[in-house]
Amino acid sequence: MAPANVYLDHAATTPVDPRVLAAMLPYFSETYGNPSSVHAYGQRAEAALESAREQVSRVLGCRPAEVIFTASGSESDNLALRGAAFAERERRGADTILVSAVEHPAVLKTARQLQQQFGFRLVVLPVDACGLVSPADLAEHLSPQVAVVSILYANNEIGTIHPIAMLAAQCRDLGVVFHTDAVQAASQLPVDVGELGVDLLAMGAHKFYGPKGVGALYVRNGIGLLPWLTGGGQEQGRRPGTHNVPLAVGLAEALALTAAERQSRNAHQQRLRDRIISAVEQTVDGARLTGHPSERLPNHASFVFPDVDGNALLAALDARGFACSSGSACKSGTPEPSETLLALGLPRRLALGSLRVTVGKDTDPQAVERFLDILPPVVAALRRPAAGGK
Amino acid sequence: MTSRRRIAVAMSGGVDSSVAAALLRDAGEDAFGLMLRLSGEDAGPANRCCAPADVAAARQVAGQLDFPFYVVDAREAFEQSVISPFLSGYAQGLTPNPCIECNRSIRWGVLLEHALAFGATHLATGHYARVEHLDGGHILRTGLDARKDQSYVLHVLTQSHLAHAIFPLGELTKEQVRAHARDPRLPVADRHESQDLCFVDGDYRAFLAARGVAPNPGPILGLEGEHLGQHSGLAHYTLGQRQGLGIASRQALYVVEKDRARNALIVGRREQVGRQRFDLAHVNWIAGAPPAPTFEAHAQVRYHAVRLRARVECRADARAAVELEATQPDVAPGQSAVFFAGDICLGGGIIQP
Ligand SMILES: Cc1ncc(COP(=O)(O)O)c(C=O)c1O
């Protein structure tokens, strides 16, 4: 059999924490009622759901009624952007959407659809070489015509962290709705919405040791959202559909554990991250860190290597027992550079050779050392001869 | 780390490589699948080789066999080392065999390099051939089933290739492979048996036209220079060919020669066709050197051609001069002549005009 595998792709997803699983299990077959039902079955399920909501609200520093459960981080992003764009256009005629050039497709493609199919104006704010939108660029494009601004908290591909509080304040001054995609950030960074000053904030449980298939959206009290699923009155009619109680419980438990253990998890992860970054920069020829050198997720190391096919690199590392990721992951073998890496101004030749290494709370430092031993020879073996040579 | 061998299996989604993979898996080998992406989805005429359906089929087989499977992008290398030399050879009226170059630079070049980078100690393919690893070196033998033998296309391998080579089908007959192919884990039927020119889907001339190799018509001449008709482009004909010349003549005429200087197709009677002596370039000796400066062996001048006795005289710069025991009708420049001593493949080279 293949060697024992080492998982270094925690930005893609994380295992469900056993404590989270234990919290969820009673809500599949024991307390299985529909929270909307009048009877005792329903009441017990509703109690579990509402206590999950409260648990989430405590971490976010908001009211429980400001938390909406969804089925994924993507859905939270969709609801936030599409919901706010339509609501703001209806309320005050604002028709412009501002997003950063390095948003996850859950935001970027939603924004493009709003532009192409629904007549919104879209401005994609450029980023600097570290992946940051400049406050000056934001200021330049902010106006009462703007319906919603979406800038992600922490980037999934390059780990860069935006100074959300500052950017959100700029929007608040003009009364423009501000959404942040915190799907990556929520696993490691504080998500106190009061301190961040955001109107909308999206997350998904599977990035922080919760189950897949459940997300949450913070919606500041008073922010209008046009629902894009229509049905029953669940989640104040903003997200109809019978509640998935066990998953909501799982998200809440996972988020609470994440908040409680944040410091120790981050200390562990950051040590490993810093070790990876310094080792790779020293031992792999031409390696370049992507994203911000310091303002980055504590678990996130990402690189580009010139003249290496990033997909082949991932496959080679996997064959040797190390699961990593890249900006251009593609199982069919026809690589396209990621939009995010191109937005940083990286040339194709570099952008095609990307590698993302994201450690987790339980990553074994010795496994990281084994990874660091194997990476340089694997990169060297896969390096293409300079173009034109044979 | 253990010293156990780890095998990368070259997979195509077809029956042969799938059976090879299943045999290795069932033998308890530590294996994973590798597939090369050789052409783009939408660039030019569809490519029969490694189409998305083939990738899906190979991935499914790997899933059934429960081993990892990876696709590696080799489009650039394939274009550079196989397609473009093939096209330029074709444009010159030669009959190149791209499978030979593909085996050298792609399967046993790019693919082997990747296999090793992926931590494999060996590369297995579904070729019908055998390799024997001896202390003194590695020997390439013909596949046990003569009807399926593919050692011809493997004559470009060197000792360092063979050191890593495994051919799980080499000991099997076609019938045995078919029986294995009924294994429910494998694809139902071979959608296309691997053939030459995997990168041409159907119409050869359409492919060439799409790649800018315009047909270059010229005269068909008799051996005395008499004008007999018009050909549609030298590359469309092979030496010894009889049908399809479009000449009305009392006696059967065969393609005797391609005169590339005059862009003329030379035809003659059957006994005028063929060559007995020819030179080779780019000769590879599998053992690293020829058995002797001059030696006798059996020669095969085309994929699936019968082998004839031949005398081979080695020259400097990977060249050789060959004399066959009898004139052969289809000794085509651009194709390879490969030599055998019994069931051992010695090596070979490219037939020169
Ligand atoms: C920044 C960011 N936003 C949104 C998403 C989408 O989350 P999900 O796939 O859970 O819907 C992801 C997940 O990769 C992400 O990293």
Side-chain angles (χ1 to χ4, degrees):
Chain A
M1 269 318 296
N5 284 317
V6 178
Y7 187 75
L8 297 173
D9 196 13
H10 290 80
T13 196
T14 55
V16 174
D17 188 308
R19 294 168 292 181
V20 172
L21 182 62
M24 290 165 62
L25 283 178
Y27 299 99
F28 286 99
S29 306
E30 289 164 39
T31 308
Y32 55 83
N34 183 332
S36 306
S37 301
V38 170
H39 44 61
Y41 292 85
Q43 288 176 26
R44 277 196 293 273
E46 189 190 14
L49 177 72
E50 293 313 318
S51 93
R53 197 186 307 281
E54 205 180 299
Q55 216 176 355
V56 173
S57 73
R58 271 199 300 272
V59 175
L60 296 179
C62 67
R63 289 183 236 165
E66 294 173 314
V67 176
I68 293 179
F69 287 113
T70 68
S72 65
S74 296
E75 189 192 327
S76 297
D77 279 329
N78 270 260
L79 176 56
L81 203 66
R82 199 176 276 118
F86 279 111
E88 289 303 288
R89 186 163 73 178
E90 193 168 293
R91 187 169 73 88
R92 55 189 184 87
D95 69 345
T96 298
I97 297 168
L98 302 186
V99 303
S100 85
V102 290
E103 295 299 308
H104 186 275
V107 168
L108 200 54
K109 289 200 177 163
T110 305
R112 290 212 184 107
Q113 192 199 52
L114 289 168
Q115 174 195 29
Q116 287 161 11
Q117 310 290 325
F118 297 101
F120 286 89
R121 241 169 49 81
L122 173 63
V123 177
V124 177
L125 300 169
V127 293
D128 64 16
C130 294
L132 287 172
V133 167
S134 86
D137 272 328
L138 176 60
E140 187 187 321
H141 289 98
L142 266 181
S143 76
Q145 265 316 102
V146 177
V148 55
V149 174
S150 184
I151 296 177
L152 89 176
Y153 192 174
N155 189 285
N156 47 307
E157 280 184 53
I158 56 174
T160 297
I161 299 169
H162 268 113
I164 291 300
M166 181 164 78
L167 301 169
Q170 286 181 267
C171 297
R172 191 168 351 112
D173 290 346
L174 273 177
V176 171
V177 175
F178 185 90
H179 166 61
T180 191
D181 173 347
V183 175
Q184 285 295 331
S187 65
Q188 293 154 77
L189 306 180
V191 282
D192 185 303
V193 292
E195 275 170 29
L196 291 172
V198 297
D199 299 308
L200 299 156
L201 178 145
M203 55 189 169
H206 72 102
K207 307 286 191 189
F208 47 81
Y209 305 92
K212 293 165 187 61
V214 60
L217 178 65
Y218 160 73
V219 187
R220 179 183 298 283
N221 186 33
I223 295 293
L225 274 195
L226 184 79
W228 64 284
L229 272 183
T230 44
Q234 293 95 343
E235 305 296 286
Q236 306 149 50
R238 291 171 152 177
R239 205 288 181 177
T242 298
H243 290 103
N244 194 329
V245 178
L247 292 196
V249 167
L251 180 143
E253 182 70 19
L255 186 65
L257 288 169
T258 298
E261 297 172 3
R262 176 169 293 128
Q263 281 189 350
S264 61
R265 287 186 192 181
N266 284 358
H268 171 71
Q269 296 181 146
Q270 188 160 335
R271 255 194 313 276
L272 297 178
R273 178 199 74 182
D274 292 345
R275 165 76 185 132
I276 292 169
I277 291 175
S278 70
V280 169
E281 284 183 330
Q282 277 172 29
T283 58
V284 181
D285 257 5
R288 225 160 103 176
L289 183 73
T290 55
H292 202 284
S294 56
E295 293 303 307
R296 60 186 305 128
L297 286 172
N299 79 330
H300 195 296
S302 56
F303 308 93
V304 286
F305 308 115
D307 301 317
V308 172
D309 172 351
N311 286 312
L313 178 57
L314 291 188
L317 290 171
D318 187 55
R320 290 169 173 278
F322 297 95
C324 301
S325 173
S326 85
S328 55
C330 154
K331 288 205 278 184
S332 75
T334 40
E336 271 307 312
S338 93
E339 285 192 52
T340 295
L341 295 182
L342 295 180
L344 303 182
L346 287 172
R348 255 184 88 88
R349 165 174 167 253
L350 278 171
L352 282 171
S354 62
L355 178 70
R356 180 182 76 181
V357 186
T358 45
V359 297
K361 68 185 177 75
D362 300 319
T363 299
D364 174 7
Q366 288 182 349
V368 167
E369 291 307 318
R370 291 204 302 281
F371 170 74
L372 293 173
D373 286 343
I374 215 164
L375 181 67
V378 170
V379 172
L382 293 176
R383 189 152 270 157
R384 281 185 291 261
K390 232 201 132 174
Chain B
M1 290 304 290
T2 59
S3 60
R4 255 192 91 195
R5 66 181 190 173
R6 180 136 212 259
I7 304 172
V9 189
M11 298 186 70
S12 70
V15 163
D16 286 347
S17 62
S18 299
V19 169
L23 290 172
L24 292 172
R25 193 75 178 106
D26 294 345
E29 297 279 4
D30 175 9
F32 62 90
L34 266 189
M35 185 166 183
L36 292 175
R37 175 144 205 91
L38 298 181
S39 79
E41 245 122 291
D42 35 36
N47 184 326
R48 277 196 296 108
C49 195
C50 61
D54 297 326
V55 177
R59 192 186 297 287
Q60 198 181 338
V61 170
Q64 289 286 320
L65 298 176
D66 190 25
F67 63 62
F69 171 77
Y70 308 102
V71 180
V72 167
D73 180 29
R75 289 172 299 167
E76 220 179 282
F78 188 68
E79 177 70 32
Q80 247 180 43
S81 324
V82 178
I83 299 203
S84 60
F86 170 77
L87 291 171
S88 61
Y90 224 86
Q92 293 165 39
L94 293 173
T95 319
N97 184 338
C99 294
I100 305 267
E101 190 49 41
C102 182
N103 267 297
R104 188 206 322 265
S105 56
I106 303 297
R107 287 209 217 192
W108 296 92
V110 176
L111 187 60
L112 177 58
E113 280 161 26
H114 277 85
L116 298 177
F118 282 36
T121 55
H122 291 80
L123 175 63
T125 69
H127 282 113
Y128 289 81
R130 292 167 297 160
V131 58
E132 196 178 339
H133 303 286
L134 301 176
D135 283 344
H138 311 277
I139 295 174
L140 178 66
R141 292 183 193 272
T142 57
L144 260 196
D145 188 334
R147 296 163 298 173
K148 293 284 276 182
D149 172 42
Q150 293 174 317
S151 55
Y152 175 84
V153 294
L154 297 174
H155 78 267
V156 288
L157 301 192
T158 63
Q159 287 292 301
S160 61
H161 294 131
L162 283 180
H164 301 288
I166 293 178
F167 303 119
L169 306 188
E171 308 275 347
L172 304 183
T173 64
K174 199 160 137 182
E175 287 72 27
Q176 285 171 312
V177 171
R178 280 223 190 100
H180 282 293
R182 284 194 284 274
D183 184 329
R185 297 170 300 178
L186 302 186
V188 188
D190 208 355
R191 288 182 313 279
H192 50 75
E193 259 184 62
S194 311
Q195 298 167 10
D196 324 41
L197 303 199
C198 64
F199 50 86
V200 177
D201 186 9
D203 190 351
Y204 211 83
R205 296 190 187 191
F207 170 77
L208 293 171
R211 295 302 305 261
V213 181
N216 182 16
I220 301 182
L221 305 178
L223 279 172
E224 260 75 65
E226 65 278 28
H227 196 285
L228 297 173
Q230 186 80 0
H231 71 75
S232 60
L234 289 184
H236 298 151
Y237 305 85
T238 46
L239 294 184
Q241 172 180 345
R242 177 185 170 192
Q243 306 293 336
L245 296 178
I247 310 172
S249 161
R250 257 174 294 127
Q251 45 178 245
L253 290 174
Y254 296 81
V255 175
V256 174
E257 196 192 330
K258 295 179 184 181
D259 183 339
R260 290 182 295 125
R262 290 189 290 166
N263 190 31
L265 192 67
I266 314 296
V267 299
R269 294 189 309 281
R270 187 184 171 84
E271 59 273 20
Q272 294 168 314
V273 171
R275 290 164 84 183
Q276 188 170 10
R277 290 194 189 95
F278 51 88
D279 290 337
L280 300 181
H282 306 291
V283 176
N284 174 59
W285 298 113
I286 290 172
T294 298
F295 65 95
E296 299 219 333
H298 280 91
Q300 181 178 341
V301 297
R302 218 177 241 284
Y303 203 16
H304 299 314
V306 279
R307 293 175 191 147
L308 293 181
R309 293 197 62 77
R311 194 183 141 76
V312 184
E313 225 182 282
C314 299
R315 306 258 163 87
D317 299 330
R319 294 181 160 267
V322 181
E323 183 179 348
L324 299 175
E325 65 180 311
T327 299
Q328 272 286 95
D330 54 356
V331 179
Q335 295 276 316
S336 292
V338 179
F339 304 103
F340 296 85
D343 64 359
I344 297 178
C345 179
L346 300 170
I350 298 175
I351 299 168
Q352 299 302 295

